[in-house]
């Protein structure tokens, strides 16, 4: 059974940093691209960042580019998101999602984690 | 960015009746390999999103056959042939063809 377990969310002040983690199991993690998708309270879904199977290729939404860094450790089946210079508008539930592809040329997310809440507030 | 426009945004439906959600993209979603990476997701209250349909019309394993997707180019539709109580939630279309990948605003399906 595919499982994606997100963690690392919490309350952080504007300008602060946070590192999200996503533990993957039940599939060959190193064979698939992964993404982070967020959902602000009461709002819709917004794709944030993607990483290819090897980690060689990454891509970011304009709203987070230069502030967030996606990475992965295939030896540990872990996906990460380092979030710096956080703003109030980054407040959201962050989901990790598994892609059906190995690369990030196109996207289709067949499994999602349970989400971890990030709150940016003073 | 490709804008995905869903309608309606709210859809009250009688149990057992059909429902239809439209999703239009601001540009063609045909990828260079000839495929259209248009997905539909269901998000039940308090839950994570779940993929229902991929590449316009392919139903995921375990998804009831009352759900169907169709469309081409820039115009896509998700249909529920007979709405059941468990179908309550928000439905999103998402394009995975053009960077950055984008979602529609979501359509809230509720029971009348």
């Amino acid at each position: 059974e595919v499982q994606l377990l997100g963690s690392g969310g919490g309350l952080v002040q504007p300008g602060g940093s946070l590192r999200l983690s996503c533990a993957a199991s039940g599939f060959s993690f190193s064979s698939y691209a992964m993404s982070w998708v967020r959902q602000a309270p009461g709002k819709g879904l917004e794709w944030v960042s993607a990483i290819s199977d090897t980690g060689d290729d990454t891509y970011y939404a304009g709203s987070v580019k230069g502030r967030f860094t996606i990475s992965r450790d295939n030896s540990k089946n872990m996906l990460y998101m380092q979030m710096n210079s956080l703003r109030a508008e980054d407040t959201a539930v962050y989901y990790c999602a598994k892609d059906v592809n190995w690369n990030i040329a196109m996207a289709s997310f067949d499994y999602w984690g349970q989400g971890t809440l990030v709150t940016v507030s003073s | 960015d490709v804008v995905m426009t869903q309608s309606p945004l709210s859809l009250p439906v009688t149990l057992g009746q059909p429902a239809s959600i439209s999703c239009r993209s601001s540009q063609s979603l045909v990828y260079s390999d000839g495929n259209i990476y248009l997905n539909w997701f269901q998000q039940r209250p308090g839950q994570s999103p779940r993929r229902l349909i991929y590449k316009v019309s392919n139903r995921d394993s375990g998804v009831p056959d009352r759900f169907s997707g169709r469309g081409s180019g820039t115009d896509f539709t998700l249909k529920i042939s007979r709405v059941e109580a468990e179908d309550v939630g928000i439905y999103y279309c998402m394009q995975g063809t053009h960077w950055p990948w984008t979602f529609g605003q979501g359509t809230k399906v509720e029971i009348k």
Side-chain angles (χ1 to χ4, degrees), chain B:
Chain B
D1 298 2
V2 175
V3 177
M4 304 297 287
T5 303
Q6 289 183 228
S7 63
L9 300 185
S10 178
L11 185 55
V13 187
T14 301
L15 286 173
Q17 292 301 302
S20 181
I21 301 170
S22 170
C23 175
R24 290 182 174 172
S25 58
S26 59
Q27 58 184 277
S28 172
L29 298 185
V30 179
Y31 190 65
S32 55
D33 63 3
N35 289 310
I36 296 176
Y37 293 93
L38 187 283
N39 308 277
W40 287 98
F41 297 93
Q42 174 195 61
Q43 188 174 33
R44 291 171 171 153
Q47 295 188 13
S48 300
R50 165 201 183 196
R51 196 180 68 175
L52 299 176
I53 302 285
Y54 62 96
K55 285 195 279 187
V56 181
S57 60
N58 296 275
R59 201 168 40 245
D60 269 275
S61 174
V63 174
D65 61 7
R66 63 178 181 275
F67 289 93
S68 64
R70 61 180 296 175
S72 62
T74 62
D75 238 315
F76 306 94
T77 303
L78 175 70
K79 291 189 175 179
I80 310 174
S81 59
R82 295 172 306 280
V83 171
E84 297 189 6
E86 65 178 18
D87 300 336
V88 165
I90 302 177
Y91 292 78
Y92 297 92
C93 59
M94 175 213 149
Q95 67 84 16
T97 296
H98 303 288
W99 286 343
W101 305 320
T102 46
F103 291 87
Q105 318 97 300
T107 295
K108 187 173 185 179
V109 172
E110 57 186 9
I111 306 301
K112 278 184 185 175

